[in-house]
Amino acid sequence: MKILVTGGLGFIGSHTVVELQNEGFEVVIVDNLSNTSLSVLDGIQNITGKIPAFEKLDLREKDKVQDFFKRHHDISGVIHFAASKAVGESVENPLLYYENNINALVYILQELQQKTEANFIFSSSCTVYGQAETMPITENASIQTAMSPYGNTKQIGEEIITDTAKVTNVNAILLRYFNPIGAHPSTEIGELPIGVPQNLVPFITQTGFGLRKELAVYGDDYPTPDGTAVRDYIHVVDLAKAHVIALQRLLNKKNTAKVETFNLGTGTGSSVLEVIHTFEKVSGKKLPYKIVGRREGDVTSAYANTDKANTVLGWTSQSTLEEAMASAWKWEQKIRK
């Protein structure tokens, strides 16, 4: 079966392509290379022994999307990762986020609605919950007013998919991830942020390597045990495997609704300082950091209730925070050689 993976050379996308190929799927990757490198294809091939088909394509160009689906009319499923994803950047440049994250989604769904059967996995986010009222967060938690344009694009995206599925042959699963970190154990692929990292762990590993002078910790006055923000950090390989399981659920017609939603996390919250100390433990390095003011768009605490994914999908996260941080550090050392 041929599966389209948009943003398939990105961090989560590339790890999912590996898991798809390991399960025997034929993969076509579409990516505009705005936040990754073509070298990721080599890493995927080194792990799986197979190079996926790749097309450089900007999904904001509607005619290019139409042309792609004309040429690839035999696609059985789409896993849609392609999106801008940094909370801080979205606050500074909202229109970039609305154009990139909404337009691309609409253009893909317009093509899928023409098919007699279409299976769609959406890369969503726990940001749709905003600052949830209770922890851990279940899929039934109310969707709060978005705290950033990025979070809003995920909320709007989910609504667009739900509205489309009601009146078309599209079946969809919305996967709300918490905080993906780490790298493939082979160190063939990992997170490759271009420019200054927007996410905590690559900033930690770059600081540990000496590329950055020090890490900024945004706020130590949150109502948490150590005052720093709490998140649910999930190993990217665990996350990638969940996408394959979700896709197989749709392909095997096991879904019980046109649109299903699952949280993907570990079920455990870790503070920023805990993540720093875990890095120091696995790397043997002291990490320079300073406390600065809170960052707009950040919530106090977010970690998942994963019961639904565990029972319905039969998926659980396997890796510990230590294992994830160790893999991220191993990857950082490899790419700096």
Side-chain angles (χ1 to χ4, degrees):
M1 282 187 169
K2 189 192 279 189
I3 306 301
L4 166 63
V5 181
T6 72
L9 293 186
F11 176 41
I12 308 166
S14 59
H15 287 82
T16 301
V17 169
V18 164
E19 298 304 325
L20 286 167
Q21 292 198 160
N22 284 343
E23 288 292 318
F25 287 100
E26 180 188 347
V27 177
V28 183
I29 295 173
V30 159
D31 203 302
N32 68 356
L33 303 179
S34 62
N35 196 32
T36 187
S37 151
L38 258 184
S39 64
V40 176
L41 277 174
D42 298 329
I44 293 169
Q45 183 178 21
N46 291 343
I47 298 166
T48 65
K50 188 178 174 190
I51 193 153
F54 168 72
E55 291 196 26
K56 184 181 179 187
L57 196 134
D58 193 322
L59 294 166
R60 291 173 292 189
E61 297 181 53
K62 185 174 182 174
D63 56 336
K64 301 273 176 66
V65 177
Q66 291 171 328
D67 175 65
F68 175 87
F69 278 94
K70 275 196 189 80
R71 290 182 289 108
H72 296 276
H73 51 82
D74 56 342
I75 281 170
S76 300
V78 177
I79 304 183
H80 182 48
F81 293 106
S84 303
K85 63 178 180 61
V87 168
E89 183 187 47
S90 79
V91 173
E92 291 162 15
N93 194 351
L95 289 178
L96 166 72
Y97 274 67
Y98 288 115
E99 181 191 32
N100 201 26
N101 295 7
I102 303 300
N103 290 14
L105 172 64
V106 169
Y107 298 155
I108 291 168
L109 289 174
Q110 283 174 336
E111 299 309 305
L112 292 183
Q113 73 175 356
Q114 299 171 41
K115 297 167 90 63
T116 51
E117 192 177 290
N119 301 297
F120 190 77
I121 307 290
F122 183 57
S123 166
S124 192
S125 166
C126 64
T127 57
V128 300
Y129 300 116
Q131 180 53 70
E133 287 151 15
T134 55
M135 294 292 143
I137 302 169
T138 72
E139 289 83 356
N140 296 324
S142 58
I143 304 297
Q144 306 278 359
T145 301
M147 295 182 72
S148 68
Y150 164 70
N152 204 25
T153 65
K154 291 302 181 184
Q155 291 183 7
I156 295 166
E158 289 193 0
E159 290 167 4
I160 290 168
I161 293 161
T162 302
D163 290 341
T164 303
K166 280 176 190 166
V167 294
T168 67
N169 289 316
V170 173
N171 284 277
I173 292 180
L174 315 174
L175 297 177
R176 294 175 179 163
Y177 331 145
F178 282 68
N179 293 63
I181 61 169
H184 196 271
S186 65
T187 67
E188 289 289 347
I189 55 174
E191 195 163 4
L192 268 178
I194 290 174
V196 179
Q198 300 277 350
N199 295 332
L200 175 64
V201 170
F203 210 112
I204 284 176
T205 56
Q206 288 189 12
T207 306
F209 201 82
L211 289 179
R212 310 276 163 204
K213 193 173 84 147
E214 63 185 357
L215 173 76
V217 175
Y218 295 102
D220 66 349
D221 57 350
Y222 285 105
T224 60
D226 63 20
T228 61
V230 168
R231 297 289 182 271
D232 186 337
Y233 295 94
I234 176 173
H235 197 299
V236 66
V237 173
D238 287 337
L239 189 64
K241 288 177 176 172
H243 288 75
V244 181
I245 293 167
L247 178 69
Q248 288 167 329
R249 180 173 172 82
L250 291 181
L251 293 171
N252 296 328
K253 299 183 168 38
K254 295 280 176 66
N255 52 311
T256 56
K258 290 278 287 174
V259 179
E260 296 181 320
T261 305
F262 297 95
N263 284 341
L264 297 180
T266 64
T268 302
S270 302
S271 73
V272 174
L273 288 180
E274 284 179 294
V275 176
I276 289 170
H277 298 325
T278 302
F279 171 79
E280 290 177 334
K281 182 178 175 186
V282 300
S283 68
K285 288 182 169 289
K286 194 81 184 137
L287 196 76
Y289 67 88
K290 66 174 177 184
I291 307 293
V292 298
R294 294 187 188 188
R295 183 171 55 180
E296 188 179 349
D298 281 347
V299 299
T300 301
S301 180
Y303 56 97
N305 178 316
T306 59
D307 291 351
K308 187 178 176 188
N310 300 160
T311 54
V312 179
L313 290 180
W315 168 89
T316 53
S317 63
Q318 302 294 319
S319 297
T320 64
L321 180 62
E322 271 190 28
E323 289 165 338
M325 291 302 292
S327 69
W329 177 233
K330 206 169 141 196
W331 165 251
E332 185 71 49
Q333 290 172 294
K334 181 198 171 177
I335 60 176
R336 301 304 165 193
K337 277 178 185 167

